[in-house]
Amino acid sequence: MALQVSGAIALSDVNVELLAAATTAIALNDATVRNLFAKPSGAIALSDGYGKSNVLLQTITTNQVNFNLRTWLVGQGWDGNQAVEVTINSGVWIYANTTGAYACTIAGSFPNGLTVRNNGNIVGMGGNGGGSASAGAAGGPALSVSTPVTIYNAGNVAGGGGGGGGGARSIRSSSGSYTPTSANVAGGSGGGGRSGLTNSSGAAAGTSGGPGGGGGRGSIVIRSTEYYAYFQTLYSGVGGSGGGWGAGGGGGGTAFVSGNTFGWSQSGTGGGGGAGACTAGNSNITWAATGSRFGALN
């Protein structure tokens, strides 16, 4: 909200802009009026108030990591009291570089209100893919809110994708006259979950553009030292793909054997990592526009 840009301005209009009752006693020389009109001293007239707003308008134009909005606003000169409207420009990334951190935290006191207009991306870190027979890591959360805020979302707010699980190992015991006498074929690693601007690791990295694919299966041929025609081929499991924003990773595949099965077994597969949450403290958010949201609204 702002005062009109032409015509008559009444002191009651100024009161409303200052978040006071229209009938509150007020004078042009009041410090609150001078601050609103940007006239700290000297002559002052109601026309000095044309277009003036009691809302501090701030725009985020560069990428931010593990971002605390209130800390940033104070650094921009916010007085801790004025109403605030923050716009995140299109193409800007606010992201986490670890699954243990939020991409953006909105906390503390905003006594006269806070509005956020997101035209960019607020994205948690993707989970790493699991190694052979190991589980993928969970994706990280996007947005933590512990104070009232109105959000107009025209961009993306997304938890990181979960890492893919590792494929099962294919195992042969050392018993029997076979070469090699024992074998352990590692399963493919899982892919990294889709992330922000810090990639998650895995058989293929999870990036801001998408999750990573899982690694392929391994194999080995084992033959009898007594009867060379008798053999078995051990195949390990493939790795699971990483999850997209706000989605869990895929589980690793099972192992198998061809030929005879003497002495063969497999390990368990690695499960996919869980999805990163879109929000923590969603009850504090008024979604004036939802845009694209990925992950749980906790």
Side-chain angles (χ1 to χ4, degrees):
M1 173 175 167
L3 291 170
Q4 58 265 48
V5 297
S6 63
I9 298 176
L11 284 172
S12 59
D13 298 326
V14 178
N15 268 329
V16 171
E17 186 62 31
L18 291 170
L19 305 177
T23 56
T24 301
I26 190 173
L28 280 175
N29 198 43
D30 289 351
T32 53
V33 178
R34 284 190 172 276
N35 182 58
L36 175 63
F37 286 14
K39 296 284 285 188
S41 61
I44 186 171
L46 282 168
S47 59
D48 293 322
Y50 283 149
K52 296 298 192 298
S53 173
N54 192 42
V55 178
L56 176 66
L57 302 176
Q58 292 288 319
T59 303
I60 300 174
T61 61
T62 58
N63 299 333
Q64 307 288 332
V65 61
N66 304 341
F67 184 62
N68 185 295
L69 181 60
R70 193 177 194 282
T71 299
W72 181 82
L73 284 168
V74 171
Q76 302 303 303
W78 178 53
D79 63 5
N81 184 65
Q82 191 176 12
V84 184
E85 181 174 310
V86 176
T87 297
I88 302 168
N89 275 357
S90 177
V92 169
W93 290 82
I94 295 179
Y95 65 101
N97 62 6
T98 171
T99 56
Y102 291 97
C104 180
T105 298
I106 300 175
S109 176
F110 294 86
N112 287 303
L114 171 65
T115 299
V116 174
R117 296 181 181 273
N118 176 42
N119 300 308
N121 307 282
I122 302 172
V123 181
M125 173 80 181
N128 294 333
S132 175
S134 298
L143 180 61
S144 172
V145 179
S146 58
T147 193
V149 58
T150 297
I151 298 179
Y152 293 81
N153 182 35
N156 297 303
V157 182
R169 291 179 179 274
S170 192
I171 303 166
R172 191 185 188 288
S173 68
S174 60
S175 60
S177 54
Y178 283 79
T179 300
T181 56
S182 62
N184 187 325
V185 186
S189 295
R194 188 175 184 183
S195 199
L197 295 187
T198 298
N199 295 346
S200 59
S201 65
T207 69
S208 61
R217 66 176 79 254
S219 66
I220 189 172
V221 177
I222 298 177
R223 295 186 180 275
S224 169
T225 57
E226 298 175 356
Y227 303 99
Y228 193 69
Y230 292 94
F231 68 93
Q232 58 186 181
T233 304
L234 278 58
Y235 296 92
S236 65
V238 298
S241 296
W245 284 340
T254 58
F256 65 96
V257 62
S258 66
N260 74 72
T261 60
F262 182 76
W264 177 81
S265 64
Q266 65 172 309
S267 68
T269 60
C278 178
T279 61
N282 188 61
S283 61
N284 293 305
I285 304 173
T286 298
W287 292 97
T290 56
S292 297
R293 302 179 298 184
F294 302 87
L297 300 175
N298 294 332

